[in-house]
Amino acid sequence: MTLRRYRLLALATCIGMFLVLIAGVLVTNTDSGRGCGTDWPLCNGKFVPAYTVESFVEYTHRMVSGLVGLLVLATFLATYYWKPARGSESLLYAGGALLFTVMQAALGAMAVVWEQSSLVLALHFGISLFAFTCTWLLYKLAKRWTQEQSGQTSSDARPASLPSSAAAGIRTLYRSLIALLVYCYCVVYLGAYIRHTSSGGGCEGWPLCNGDIVPELSGATAVAFAHRVAAFALFVMIAILVYYVRKVSGKSSELTSIGNKALALVVLQILSGGLLSFTLSNEDAYIFTGLLHTIIISALFSMLVLLAIRMRQSIQSSHSEVRQ
């Protein structure tokens, strides 16, 4: 094993987990969750199921998840047993990916064997999102190692320590960002719940909902409108956070760069939500706009987690310098 091969393994695992996310959304958007009946791991009692669109989509999702699960396990074992890769940060990411992958598989199996409520099914995407974020962070770390080994300047290097005044401001922003991450996850969960309950049609049109600024709040309309309001509030919160990050750490800092990317992603997420609304009546287009929406929110959540990690590392570096 070399650092380059470890980086490629981490990259393959990250791409694989991304495909698991996409496959899961396809299962939901094509209503293929029962494509294999109530059998697991077999599909309708067969290793190779009869061809229907639903069984094909569901069984493909299972196969991809199984193969990626092996990749996640291989990555964790390589991280744990190969000394150059073993460290607290890498083990946290690799262990987190393995934990959430196992949880995701268990929840998926239970959803097939025992019919679950939409509230429980919506958790499936949230757990997959955690697993993807862990694999992406591990790849970013492996990339940093290979760049440092080759003597290149790494954009993923640990951030430099901050002056004491800036460190105090970042510490406050870090606590705010943790709360923002929890809120972001709730927005993601609400979006997944809308998909599982087919509540997206509760709000026709965009940015207005059924032609009103505030529609009659009942049934699917209330759920869909709540998600829109929550998404807009998320944009406002991220914009405020990025403003203060820029003010405290400087316009050219890595923290500001990550914050700017998160702000761009949340804008794209809102716009993709509008596109999703316009394609509700077109099933084929809706599948692809739903995938786009999922890709952007996955990138946004991962970027916010990276920002939190970089903030924490900056604070720790400042503390270390003070002790010295």
Side-chain angles (χ1 to χ4, degrees):
M1 179 68 76
T2 63
L3 278 177
R4 182 175 179 277
R5 289 178 179 175
Y6 180 78
R7 174 184 173 180
L8 290 175
L9 177 61
L11 176 60
T13 306
C14 180
I15 293 173
M17 192 56 66
F18 175 75
L19 292 177
V20 170
L21 272 177
I22 297 302
V25 174
L26 278 174
V27 168
T28 303
N29 287 356
T30 58
D31 198 23
S32 300
R34 287 293 171 184
C36 286
T38 57
D39 292 331
W40 193 93
L42 299 179
C43 185
N44 293 320
K46 300 177 181 179
F47 184 75
V48 179
Y51 177 77
T52 65
V53 173
E54 291 79 10
S55 63
F56 177 77
V57 172
E58 170 63 12
Y59 204 58
T60 299
H61 179 219
R62 293 187 189 184
M63 290 182 64
V64 170
S65 298
L67 292 173
V68 173
L70 294 176
L71 265 178
V72 171
L73 177 60
T75 303
F76 173 77
L77 293 175
T79 304
Y80 186 82
Y81 287 106
W82 190 51
K83 286 187 178 180
R86 187 165 58 195
S88 57
E89 189 175 0
S90 58
L91 284 173
L92 175 64
Y93 301 152
L98 182 60
L99 172 64
F100 290 120
T101 299
V102 171
M103 290 176 62
Q104 166 191 292
L107 186 60
M110 288 189 292
V112 170
V113 178
W114 302 291
E115 190 168 351
Q116 305 290 323
S117 68
S118 296
L119 289 170
V120 175
L121 290 173
L123 285 173
H124 197 51
F125 176 75
I127 294 172
S128 298
L129 182 59
F130 277 129
F132 167 74
T133 300
C134 287
T135 59
W136 181 70
L137 291 172
L138 183 62
Y139 167 68
K140 293 282 285 184
L141 180 61
K143 180 182 176 183
R144 184 180 83 198
W145 287 343
T146 54
Q147 289 177 331
E148 289 175 351
Q149 186 186 54
S150 61
Q152 298 177 22
T153 302
S154 173
S155 60
D156 299 311
R158 292 178 71 93
S161 59
L162 299 166
S164 57
S165 58
I170 292 296
R171 194 177 300 112
T172 301
L173 290 173
Y174 173 73
R175 289 193 289 265
S176 300
L177 178 53
I178 295 302
L180 179 59
L181 273 168
V182 174
Y183 177 77
C184 181
Y185 184 80
C186 292
V187 175
V188 171
Y189 175 83
L190 184 56
Y193 178 78
I194 287 174
R195 282 202 306 270
H196 283 286
T197 56
S198 301
S199 301
C203 267
E204 295 184 0
W206 190 88
L208 299 180
C209 178
N210 298 329
D212 297 319
I213 297 177
V214 180
E216 182 181 345
L217 300 177
S218 61
T221 300
V223 177
F225 184 72
H227 182 60
R228 291 190 181 190
V229 173
F232 180 74
L234 180 64
F235 159 72
V236 173
M237 292 176 189
I238 291 177
I240 293 172
L241 177 76
V242 172
Y243 170 78
Y244 282 105
V245 168
R246 187 180 304 168
K247 186 176 181 180
V248 171
S249 65
K251 294 181 180 180
S252 60
S253 71
E254 186 204 16
L255 296 180
T256 297
S257 175
I258 297 173
N260 288 338
K261 291 173 184 176
L263 184 59
L265 284 168
V266 75
V267 171
L268 290 175
Q269 180 68 4
I270 291 174
L271 294 176
S272 71
L275 185 62
L276 196 66
S277 299
F278 291 132
T279 58
L280 283 171
S281 58
N282 187 328
E283 289 187 10
D284 294 333
Y286 180 74
I287 290 174
F288 291 103
T289 54
L291 290 177
L292 177 63
H293 203 56
T294 299
I295 291 170
I296 296 174
I297 193 59
S298 301
L300 172 60
F301 185 81
S302 298
M303 196 63 66
L304 289 174
V305 172
L306 178 63
L307 180 58
I309 291 170
R310 288 292 191 262
M311 279 187 178
R312 183 171 176 80
Q313 289 173 344
S314 294
I315 295 168
Q316 289 174 338
S317 296
S318 300
H319 283 170
S320 297
E321 285 198 355
V322 170
R323 292 192 190 99
Q324 293 173 0

